[in-house]
Amino acid sequence: MVALLRAGRPRLRDHQPLLTSGYPIDLHTHSIASDGALTPTELIARAAERGVRIQALADHDTLLGVAEAVAEGERRGVRVIPATELNTESEWGDVHILAYFVDPKDDALEERLRWLRENRGRRIELMVEKLNALGYAVSLDRVREIAQGGSLGRPHLAQALFESGHVPTYDSAFDTLISKDSPAYVSRVGLAPLEAVALARTHGGVPSLAHPGTVVDVERLLPQLVPAGLVGMECYYASHTPAFTARCLRLSVRYGLVPTGGSDFHGRGEHGVDLGGVFVPPECIAALETHQARR
Ligand SMILES: [Zn+2]
Ligand SMILES: [Zn+2]
């Protein structure tokens, strides 16, 4: 649509702001520092071109991409908020905690994150072993190559399965082999949801519950996470229906949580939207900063 509009009105491009379909705030993005496809520089450049002005880099269990993203952000006029997404393992389903405003130079935090990354790596090794035992030949070296030194994750494994022809599409690797209850799945050894919130708070972070639609019973989990220091909830997310977004917003009012949002962009078409593809209200930034100031 945008391309068509641009093609039809080429002369306007020199005189009008760049026509983009992105919103200016995106508080949930990933780079190759974890399981995204773009370098932090490429990610921020793409975001800038789409009109994003405030962006959180929230790689899983790492802040190693932040410095590069901040540098590119300074060149491009994008404010980069340092963040990390902490996945957890519990009976509550996929509880992911986004920790905003953490310090990439916090050595004690980096030590905890390194422990989490090593666990991620061991889990992927075990999944490769399982796949090989099941007759899907995948090499750990190839998975590491795809990760390009980033924190290993299932998207890298899915890519390896897809390119070796074991599955017809990237997504079908998840659907048939490596999602929970699939034959090659190995559960994570890691933080419980409360521990993730506590880890963020201990290190001066501002925690928000990511994509609450993947939580088994968010109404029952929130009364535990809020007293532990949860500050926000990702009410704005591409796969949420309007009804679910409204439900999240009601819950955030009830628990005094800041509604956050983002694309969860990884760069391979996951989650269906590009950078800046989800509306996030501008006032949420100041609200998160208030909590940062209180720490
Ligand atoms: Zn997540
Ligand atoms: Zn994410």
Side-chain angles (χ1 to χ4, degrees):
M1 180 66 174
V2 173
L4 280 175
L5 286 171
R6 280 186 190 160
R9 300 159 69 192
R11 275 172 300 168
L12 287 178
R13 291 185 64 191
D14 293 334
H15 307 288
Q16 298 278 322
L18 181 66
L19 192 56
T20 70
S21 53
Y23 292 103
I25 300 173
D26 192 333
L27 296 181
H28 190 161
T29 69
H30 297 275
S31 77
I32 57 163
S34 63
D35 55 0
L38 302 184
T39 66
T41 299
E42 291 166 344
L43 185 75
I44 300 300
R46 184 187 181 98
E49 278 164 22
R50 289 183 46 79
V52 174
R53 290 294 168 262
I54 302 177
Q55 177 175 356
L57 180 65
D59 276 312
H60 299 282
D61 308 329
T62 186
L63 292 161
L64 296 177
V66 168
E68 184 185 322
V70 168
E72 183 65 10
E74 280 167 5
R75 278 193 289 275
R76 299 265 186 175
V78 179
R79 177 184 170 195
V80 174
I81 295 174
T84 183
E85 182 173 18
L86 303 166
N87 293 17
T88 67
E89 194 61 35
S90 71
E91 72 276 20
W92 297 96
D94 284 327
V95 180
H96 297 181
I97 302 295
L98 292 156
Y100 294 115
F101 301 114
V102 276
D103 180 1
K105 297 195 181 82
D106 179 340
D107 290 338
L109 175 60
E110 170 53 22
E111 198 174 305
R112 293 299 310 277
L113 295 178
R114 195 181 316 121
W115 179 79
L116 291 169
R117 291 198 296 273
E118 283 164 7
N119 281 337
R120 283 174 84 81
R122 269 195 290 281
R123 175 199 192 204
I124 297 300
E125 280 174 38
L126 289 171
M127 288 178 80
V128 166
E129 279 173 23
K130 259 189 156 177
L131 284 164
N132 287 336
L134 289 164
Y136 300 93
V138 181
S139 90
L140 186 59
D141 285 345
R142 181 58 197 142
V143 177
R144 287 212 175 99
E145 255 172 51
I146 292 168
Q148 297 178 67
S151 174
L152 285 184
R154 285 184 296 164
H156 305 129
L157 196 48
Q159 181 68 28
L161 283 162
F162 172 52
E163 68 181 28
S164 35
H166 292 308
V167 287
T169 63
Y170 169 87
D171 284 339
S172 63
F174 279 90
D175 297 341
T176 58
L177 290 169
I178 60 174
S179 64
K180 203 160 193 164
D181 304 322
S182 296
Y185 183 81
V186 173
S187 61
R188 194 186 302 272
V189 179
L191 301 169
L194 276 174
E195 291 171 332
V197 171
L199 178 63
R201 293 305 297 237
T202 302
H203 293 275
V206 177
S208 179
L209 174 63
H211 42 70
T214 62
V215 177
V216 166
D217 189 347
V218 70
E219 268 93 349
R220 280 185 49 234
L221 181 61
L222 285 177
Q224 296 188 26
L225 296 188
V226 171
L230 188 72
V231 168
M233 180 159 69
E234 197 171 49
C235 298
Y236 304 100
Y237 193 77
S239 61
H240 289 177
T241 62
F244 189 72
T245 302
R247 189 173 142 204
C248 290
L249 290 171
R250 281 195 301 274
L251 284 169
S252 58
V253 170
R254 188 190 305 165
Y255 290 103
L257 295 170
V258 178
T260 66
S263 63
D264 208 354
F265 180 83
H266 283 69
R268 300 181 193 84
E270 302 99 324
H271 310 300
V273 285
D274 208 319
L275 293 161
V278 173
F279 169 74
V280 181
E283 58 270 24
C284 102
I285 303 295
L288 291 174
E289 282 169 338
T290 308
H291 286 272
Q292 181 196 13
R294 275 189 214 149
R295 74 194 186 193

